[in-house]
Amino acid sequence: MIGRIALAAFAWLCLASAAQAQGFGQRGGAPGDFDFYVLALSWSPGFCELDGDRTRNREQCAGGSGLRFVVHGLWPQYERGFPSDCGPSGRSPSRMAMTEAEGVYPTEGLARYEWRKHGTCSGSSPADYFRDARRARDKVVVPPALAKADSDRSWTVLDLERAFVAANPGLRTDMMSVSCKRGVLQEVRICLSKDLRDFRTCQEVDRSGCRARELTVVAPR
């Protein structure tokens, strides 16, 4: 009996170690030790429709703001899982560093949060991390149908991905995913190489996309 318990405990420890090595929910880790980036672009009208707290997100969700895609985050990623909260460099960025985040994130609070959770794993300084987030955002072309949307519209996930593929040479549908909530578009997530020069495949991210047959792209209010 004791032997079976010991064997079960050993097996559990092996599984836990393997999961940590693969990066499932792994806190900490060596800054700069990751495989690629995910650029998460939040569709503001959809976010504000479902989750926009008017106090915390008043800059992003204020009526008439006209915001469409904004940077949610630039996330270091493993092939399986991701690191987060990577060490003591998580102290608050300086005011000078925060100027690099202006115009990239919809709120300063989000920029600070993203630095603590994800930027500390990049191996870059806060200022360089925010510059990289801007570079990643500027690399992605938003399809005209979304850049100019002025009324709610239904899309299939595949058609929305194909619109991004058509607007971005080198991008394929297995290099991205679409995130939805209650049938409403929330985010588009695009995978990029560590140097941000190229799009790249990302099976786990691709598989994690929206399962709805159709989704609604809510227009700016």
Side-chain angles (χ1 to χ4, degrees), residues 38 50 54 88 91 107-108 119 123-124 127 144 148 166 168 201 218:
V38 172
L50 298 181
R54 301 302 176 182
R91 61 183 183 277
T107 66
E108 181 178 303
S124 300
K148 300 178 180 179
N168 292 274
T201 57
V218 177

Side-chain angles (χ1 to χ4, degrees), residues 51-139:
D51 297 312
D53 180 290
R54 301 302 176 182
T55 300
R56 290 184 303 160
N57 302 292
R58 60 183 180 275
E59 298 166 63
Q60 182 176 1
C61 297
S65 68
L67 291 177
R68 297 171 187 268
F69 279 114
V70 297
V71 173
H72 175 180
L74 182 66
W75 304 334
Q77 196 87 8
Y78 300 131
E79 296 296 345
R80 298 189 67 186
F82 60 91
S84 68
D85 305 282
C86 295
S89 56
R91 61 183 183 277
S92 295
S94 68
R95 175 51 55 188
M96 184 175 295
M98 289 305 302
T99 63
E100 299 293 341
E102 293 177 2
V104 179
Y105 299 87
T107 66
E108 181 178 303
L110 177 60
R112 290 184 180 277
Y113 173 82
E114 288 295 312
W115 162 253
R116 289 194 302 271
K117 184 171 182 179
H118 300 286
T120 54
C121 301
S122 68
S124 300
S125 68
D128 285 340
Y129 173 70
F130 293 140
R131 290 189 196 103
D132 283 344
R134 186 185 301 274
R135 284 176 55 212
R137 181 202 63 184
D138 291 348
K139 181 177 176 61

Side-chain angles (χ1 to χ4, degrees), residues 17-32:
S17 298
Q20 185 178 38
Q22 291 169 342
F24 294 113
Q26 180 176 337
R27 293 178 64 87

Side-chain angles (χ1 to χ4, degrees), residues 201-217:
T201 57
C202 45
Q203 293 183 2
E204 187 175 68
V205 175
D206 179 36
R207 289 195 300 265
S208 70
C210 178
R211 302 299 181 190
R213 184 170 183 176
E214 285 191 346
L215 52 81
T216 300
V217 177

Side-chain angles (χ1 to χ4, degrees), residues 146-162:
L146 293 165
K148 300 178 180 179
D150 58 6
S151 61
D152 294 0
R153 177 179 168 184
S154 293
W155 291 71
T156 67
V157 171
L158 183 57
D159 282 345
L160 195 139
E161 288 184 342
R162 284 173 172 168

Side-chain angles (χ1 to χ4, degrees), residues 154-206:
S154 293
W155 291 71
T156 67
V157 171
L158 183 57
D159 282 345
L160 195 139
E161 288 184 342
R162 284 173 172 168
F164 270 88
V165 168
N168 292 274
L171 181 64
R172 302 197 312 260
T173 58
D174 62 347
M175 299 174 173
M176 62 183 299
S177 69
V178 171
S179 173
C180 66
K181 183 176 181 180
R182 300 203 294 273
V184 174
L185 173 65
Q186 296 288 285
E187 288 189 345
V188 172
R189 298 170 181 171
I190 296 177
C191 302
L192 296 158
S193 59
K194 288 182 73 171
D195 60 11
L196 302 177
R197 293 180 180 177
D198 302 300
F199 303 114
R200 58 101 76 195
T201 57
C202 45
Q203 293 183 2
E204 187 175 68
V205 175
D206 179 36

